[in-house]
Amino acid sequence: MPLYTSQTLKIYNSLSGEKETFVPINEGNIGMYVCGPTVYSNVHLGNVRTFMSFDVIFRYLLHLEYKVRYVRNITDVGHIVDDVDEGEDKIAKKARLEQLEPMEVVQRYTVDFHDILKAFNFLPPSIEPTATGHIIEQIEIIKKIIDSGVGYEANGSVYFDVVKFNKTNHYGRLSGRNIEDMLANTRDLDGQSDKRNPQDFALWKKAEPQHIMRWPSPWSDGFPGWHLECTAMSTKYLGNHFDIHGGGMDLKFPHHECEIAQNEACTGQTPVNYWMHANMLTLNGKKMAKSTGNNILPREILTGDNSILSKAFSASVARFFMLQAHYRSILDFSDDAIVAAEKGYKRLMEAMDSLKNISASTKSTIDIASWKQACYEAMNDDFNSPILIAQLFEGVRYVNLLHDNKETLNAADLADFTKTMHAFVFDVLGLEDENASANSNNKLEGTVNLLIAMRNQARADKNFALSDQIRDQLLAIGIQLKDGKEGTTFSV
């Protein structure tokens, strides 16, 4: 039987404001969509925390032996500056400022996004669609929304009529708002806008003559609205009704609220069963902002090239730091906090190393089954990583007691304890043992240097066939030898 059948997972649903028992639409299978980055600048630390939260959620669902289709998009068009329907597309603005093609901007920052997530040991999503790759699907959804009576065209742009939609549906249910209050707190339109109501949002924007990114549509040469992209990509790969939709807390309104409205207008049903939102990251007690200088990039943490931290910290230490707070809690990043996290991380890794050297006894004096279930209960309680970490440090205490022969485990319990520690530390939390990686690199370097010495001897003996064989077989596994005046070096 799959592991999920023995565990009761509860998820905090932003739609209901309560923890709910998770029941997938199709048993054993989960569809999960997470709003990805808008690739107009380097990925910032707050983004990393949000995506890390969903990486751990993805990892735990896989650990429970669900089949998960995880879709995380790339927004490469349509995200207007300041998240409103007027103004300039973020990517087009960056392209104009740097005198680049928009797709050069997209490529540069998509590569940066992937590099950072790889450094932090993220699992890749099942599908990573782009907004520009789904223009046709977005146009078709707009047609359906117009046919449903809540979409209207004005001067080549198309808008969603929020007031009309709200007569039969509840716009604002996710964010706890009501349309009357929203209308009361906004100014009347000044006559220069094509919108019928201030709350209406763009489904398609007519491109101004200077706008670089544009596509033909039945209404104008233009580009899709930001909210529409996620509706098109989530429903294409997960269907009109799927299990989990996630993103940062800042996306709850208006982005996710608009997604719900679009889906309901198209299909007549609510699109998602469980809405999940990760909270923000602050720096030294204040909101992160490039404009104030209160900001640090993930790469600057890894290199130490910043004025905020006392030294460089590894990706695993930074990852461990972030997972010490629940994903729905605000987390403050500071030098003191990450220094403390580094100490905890090292204690955990030292225990994992010691665990390899513990021998089984004839009897068990520790209740491993209860400890193991406590680990599962932590993650089953809305993916509570800080409580899981507390249980893992209880496991560290067990390791130390076992190492000092103050407690014992029989072979079956020792195997179960070792397997559980490894599963939660490495598979679920996604931490890496940097000591093991360093040792592995040292062993690799020693082995390759030995082969270089053997190759040098073969060349001295004029055994060029063996010399070439060593070089070619190393190259075949990704290790390139370089002969120079100073001798032979290698690169992986």
Side-chain angles (χ1 to χ4, degrees):
M1 295 290 285
L3 186 55
Y4 64 78
T5 59
S6 64
Q7 303 296 329
T8 301
L9 174 62
K10 289 183 179 291
I11 294 177
Y12 181 86
N13 191 347
S14 297
L15 199 60
S16 66
E18 296 178 352
K19 290 180 187 176
E20 299 175 8
T21 300
F22 177 68
V23 180
I25 297 167
N26 299 302
E27 185 182 348
N29 295 273
I30 296 173
M32 181 169 77
Y33 185 89
V34 173
C35 291
T38 302
V39 283
Y40 70 100
S41 64
N42 297 106
V43 60
H44 62 72
L45 199 59
N47 293 145
V48 171
R49 191 212 174 180
T50 295
F51 298 131
M52 186 179 296
S53 298
F54 289 100
D55 181 61
V56 171
I57 289 166
F58 181 38
R59 285 170 173 274
Y60 187 60
L61 295 174
L62 292 175
H63 175 73
L64 292 180
E65 298 179 74
Y66 283 109
K67 292 181 180 177
V68 186
R69 177 176 287 179
Y70 174 21
V71 183
R72 186 186 66 216
N73 74 298
I74 297 285
T75 294
D76 56 355
V77 68
H79 195 158
I80 302 296
V81 175
D82 297 327
D83 300 344
V84 296
D85 287 331
E86 306 302 328
E88 201 169 5
D89 180 286
K90 288 186 175 182
I91 291 164
K93 180 179 180 180
K94 187 78 169 185
R96 177 176 57 80
L97 292 174
E98 298 194 6
Q99 296 186 317
L100 297 170
E101 283 290 332
M103 285 300 124
E104 285 185 88
V105 174
V106 166
Q107 179 69 9
R108 174 188 296 176
Y109 295 116
T110 300
V111 169
D112 172 72
F113 174 69
H114 288 148
D115 286 348
I116 291 298
L117 266 55
K118 185 177 180 181
F120 280 83
N121 197 33
F122 282 54
L123 295 179
S126 315
I127 304 172
E128 192 174 52
T130 63
T132 54
H134 296 76
I135 300 294
I136 293 172
E137 289 85 351
Q138 294 174 73
I139 289 172
E140 291 304 308
I141 288 175
I142 295 171
K143 290 178 182 177
K144 290 179 182 177
I145 292 174
I146 292 174
D147 290 343
S148 76
V150 296
Y152 61 93
E153 186 267 340
N155 294 325
S157 294
V158 183
Y159 297 95
F160 190 100
D161 192 328
V162 170
V163 173
K164 188 173 183 181
F165 171 80
N166 197 63
K167 291 178 180 178
T168 54
N169 301 72
H170 183 182
Y171 180 81
R173 184 160 57 105
L174 178 67
S175 56
R177 304 173 188 223
N178 66 70
I179 194 73
E180 291 79 13
D181 290 342
M182 285 188 267
L183 288 170
N185 291 325
T186 54
R187 298 177 183 174
D188 292 334
L189 296 174
D190 58 10
Q192 296 180 348
S193 174
D194 294 324
K195 295 181 182 181
R196 294 174 182 171
N197 314 290
Q199 275 65 41
D200 294 355
F201 57 89
L203 300 171
W204 186 265
K205 288 290 292 180
K206 180 181 179 180
E208 298 300 326
Q210 70 273 17
H211 198 96
I212 308 171
M213 303 179 81
R214 59 174 66 218
W215 290 263
S217 80
W219 313 284
S220 65
D221 279 4
F223 55 94
W226 173 40
H227 311 307
L228 186 68
E229 301 167 0
C230 288
T231 294
M233 290 182 277
S234 62
T235 55
K236 175 167 184 175
Y237 298 108
L238 299 176
N240 292 333
H241 187 206
F242 55 95
D243 297 293
I244 298 171
H245 193 313
M249 198 76 75
D250 57 320
L251 298 181
K252 188 184 291 187
F253 186 88
H255 185 51
H256 290 160
E257 203 73 75
C258 294
E259 277 193 66
I260 292 173
Q262 290 166 163
N263 279 75
E264 290 182 353
C266 279
T267 67
Q269 62 178 318
T270 186
V272 179
N273 282 357
Y274 304 88
W275 284 90
M276 301 181 68
H277 293 93
N279 216 325
M280 65 185 293
L281 189 69
T282 58
L283 177 61
N284 292 323
K286 298 178 183 178
K287 183 180 178 180
M288 285 195 188
K290 290 181 182 178
S291 58
T292 63
N294 193 53
N295 181 63
I296 186 169
L297 293 174
R299 200 179 301 279
E300 292 172 339
I301 297 172
L302 307 184
T303 62
D305 185 17
N306 63 82
S307 59
I308 294 170
L309 301 180
S310 55
K311 63 171 187 169
F313 293 90
S314 71
S316 271
V317 168
R319 185 179 178 105
F320 180 74
F321 161 75
M322 292 190 203
L323 296 178
Q324 286 181 307
H326 190 267
Y327 77 90
R328 287 192 289 114
S329 301
I330 292 175
L331 174 62
D332 187 54
F333 184 83
S334 68
D335 188 60
D336 288 345
I338 196 167
V339 166
E342 184 177 51
K343 292 176 183 176
Y345 166 79
K346 287 181 177 179
R347 273 186 63 210
L348 185 58
M349 290 305 133
E350 286 167 3
M352 297 306 293
D353 287 339
S354 294
L355 187 52
K356 302 170 188 174
N357 301 319
I358 292 171
S359 301
S361 183
T362 55
K363 66 174 184 176
S364 295
T365 59
I366 302 173
D367 185 357
I368 291 301
S370 295
W371 167 82
K372 178 180 176 180
Q373 188 52 35
C375 292
Y376 279 101
E377 287 173 1
M379 289 302 287
N380 289 340
D381 183 17
D382 193 31
F383 310 98
N384 202 322
S385 60
I387 300 299
L388 171 62
I389 288 172
Q391 290 299 331
L392 293 175
F393 276 105
E394 181 68 1
V396 170
R397 189 174 72 86
Y398 292 162
V399 170
N400 294 333
L401 291 171
L402 292 166
H403 185 268
D404 294 339
N405 297 317
K406 293 178 179 178
E407 301 283 0
T408 59
L409 290 176
N410 64 32
D413 282 345
L414 179 59
D416 195 24
F417 178 53
T418 302
K419 181 181 177 182
T420 303
M421 285 289 287
H422 274 262
F424 281 109
V425 171
F426 300 124
D427 299 340
V428 175
L429 294 183
L431 300 174
E432 294 182 292
D433 188 345
E434 291 164 355
N435 291 332
S437 298
N439 290 337
S440 177
N441 289 338
N442 290 337
K443 290 176 182 177
L444 173 64
E445 185 175 355
T447 301
V448 174
N449 284 334
L450 175 62
L451 289 168
I452 288 173
M454 293 173 63
R455 177 171 175 263
N456 289 340
Q457 186 60 50
R459 294 167 79 182
D461 295 340
K462 300 190 183 301
N463 188 350
F464 298 114
L466 177 58
S467 169
D468 291 346
Q469 183 183 10
I470 292 171
R471 179 199 63 203
D472 294 343
Q473 290 192 357
L474 284 173
L475 185 60
I477 61 171
I479 298 171
Q480 184 176 28
L481 300 185
K482 298 177 182 177
D483 295 318
K485 293 180 180 179
E486 304 299 322
T488 303
T489 59
F490 74 93
S491 61
V492 181

